[in-house]
Amino acid sequence: VQLQASGGGLVQAGGSLRLSCAASGRTFGNYQVGWFRQAPGKERNFVAAINWSGTSTNYADSVKGRFTISGDNAKNTVYLQMNSLKPEDTAVYYCAAAQRRYSDYRLWNYWGQGTLVTVSS
């Protein structure tokens, strides 16, 4: 599986962005897809995950109620809609895929290249 993350950019606090994670090489079927983020000098942290059927999602407490993860099977793409952005959301955002929804990011098999989100105050 090859993953391509896109959609990052510069936004003011309170604004919105939508990140995309497009898969190629094979479909996401039977995989979990997650979004993670890494701020400068900090460890990579879990943000949200979804199973490919879209029937199960979970979120980090810090983004609940503001971020929504969703998938489009026809486009083999997973999205992360980010609303009410805060400066502390600034990070490089990565999408990843694995056959299980591991809590440890190091166990996820496939990674996109990352897309930078910068939220100005």
Side-chain angles (χ1 to χ4, degrees):
V1 177
Q2 290 81 47
L3 303 177
Q4 180 77 30
S6 61
L10 173 63
V11 64
Q12 288 189 328
S16 299
L17 281 174
R18 188 178 78 159
L19 306 183
S20 300
C21 178
S24 61
R26 63 169 294 164
T27 65
F28 275 132
N30 298 321
Y31 276 75
Q32 306 288 322
V33 180
W35 284 97
F36 296 78
R37 65 187 182 186
Q38 188 166 17
K42 296 189 177 180
E43 197 167 74
R44 192 168 299 188
N45 290 322
F46 170 79
V47 175
I50 189 170
N51 64 341
W52 189 237
S53 64
T55 57
S56 172
T57 60
N58 67 306
Y59 298 89
D61 287 344
S62 58
V63 307
K64 278 181 183 176
R66 300 188 298 123
F67 291 10
T68 302
I69 190 170
S70 63
D72 184 332
N73 288 14
K75 295 183 178 180
N76 216 26
T77 300
V78 169
Y79 302 100
L80 184 69
Q81 177 67 43
M82 306 186 295
N83 298 329
S84 302
L85 283 161
K86 305 175 181 179
E88 52 263 44
D89 294 318
T90 295
V92 177
Y93 283 70
Y94 299 89
C95 62
Q99 291 192 315
R100 296 183 65 180
R101 198 177 298 179
Y102 299 103
S103 57
D104 185 343
Y105 75 89
R106 288 165 288 214
L107 297 177
W108 290 67
N109 307 83
Y110 304 101
W111 289 88
Q113 82 288 4
T115 184
L116 176 63
V117 172
T118 304
V119 184
S120 63
S121 57

